[in-house]
């Protein structure tokens, strides 16, 4: 691997599952193929092969070919991600972007994107939570480092 910046987190090592070295993947990606038997993941920028993989309820449970510390991020090279569709973005592309209201008022930066019942939500470092819907989000400019939202969504009440 060239640098750890080429790696994208797809989960982290969670609590042990059984006594054979398997663990629950916390914060797992929805893409089951990433945890399939024989897949290569990276832990501390070093490759590790999935040697056991199953589901326990809705969670992925895997074992790697070497011991790893609980809490360690599981990553894959950015190049292994499929291209996002039109008007679709990966969370890591949105985190850190400046959010501006139409007209230029800065509302904060994206800390995270959380799933909601009806739609995903942009969580900003300012404490604001904005719905990730067309009526709110007018423009996403990843290259320019900003998201423009409609007026009125940041208003109190």
């Amino acid at each position: 691997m060239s640098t750890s910046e080429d790696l994208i987190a797809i989960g982290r090592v969670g609590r042990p599952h059984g006594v054979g070295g398997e663990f629950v993947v916390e914060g797992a990606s929805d893409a089951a193929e990433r945890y399939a038997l024989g897949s290569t993941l990276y832990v501390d920028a070093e490759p590790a092969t999935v040697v056991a993989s199953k589901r326990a309820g809705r969670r992925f449970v895997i074992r790697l070919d070497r011991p790893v510390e609980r809490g360690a991020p599981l990553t894959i090279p950015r190049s292994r991600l499929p291209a996002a569709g039109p008007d679709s973005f990966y969370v890591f592309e949105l985190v850190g972007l400046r959010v501006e209201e139409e007209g230029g008022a800065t509302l904060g930066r994206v800390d995270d994107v959380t799933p909601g019942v009806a739609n995903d939500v942009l969580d900003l470092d300012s404490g604001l939570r904005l719905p990730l819907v067309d009526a709110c989000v007018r423009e996403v400019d990843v290259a320019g480092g900003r998201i423009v939202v409609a007026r009125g969504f940041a208003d109190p009440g």
Side-chain angles (χ1 to χ4, degrees):
M1 239 22 268
S2 56
T3 71
S4 61
E5 292 172 63
D6 295 327
L7 297 172
I8 304 302
I10 59 162
R12 67 186 163 283
V13 178
R15 64 175 173 72
H17 190 273
V19 295
E22 294 177 329
F23 59 87
V24 173
V25 178
E26 294 177 348
S29 159
D30 292 334
E33 67 275 7
R34 294 189 179 136
Y35 311 105
L37 196 61
S39 294
T40 300
L41 303 178
Y42 290 79
V43 183
D44 297 325
E46 294 296 324
T49 302
V50 177
V51 295
S53 180
K54 64 183 177 185
R55 287 232 185 195
R58 295 178 27 199
R59 303 186 95 175
F60 294 102
V61 175
I62 65 173
R63 181 169 43 92
L64 300 175
D65 63 349
R66 62 184 175 86
V68 291
E69 282 192 40
R70 186 172 182 179
L74 301 170
T75 60
I76 61 170
R78 185 180 205 155
S79 61
R80 284 190 17 208
L81 293 174
D87 296 324
S88 296
F89 303 92
Y90 287 105
V91 171
F92 73 84
E93 293 177 301
L94 301 178
V95 170
L97 294 184
R98 184 179 66 256
V99 178
E100 300 173 357
E101 206 168 32
E102 288 176 317
T106 298
L107 302 175
R109 291 194 176 270
V110 177
D111 262 348
D112 200 3
V113 179
T114 55
V117 175
N119 52 264
D120 291 343
V121 176
L122 295 171
D123 294 322
L124 307 188
D125 61 359
S126 62
L128 283 172
R129 300 187 79 226
L130 301 171
L132 195 50
V133 296
D134 290 341
C136 177
V137 177
R138 300 296 193 196
E139 177 187 0
V140 176
D141 180 3
V142 174
R146 73 185 188 129
I147 296 173
V148 178
V149 298
R151 289 182 186 204
F153 283 90
D155 294 341

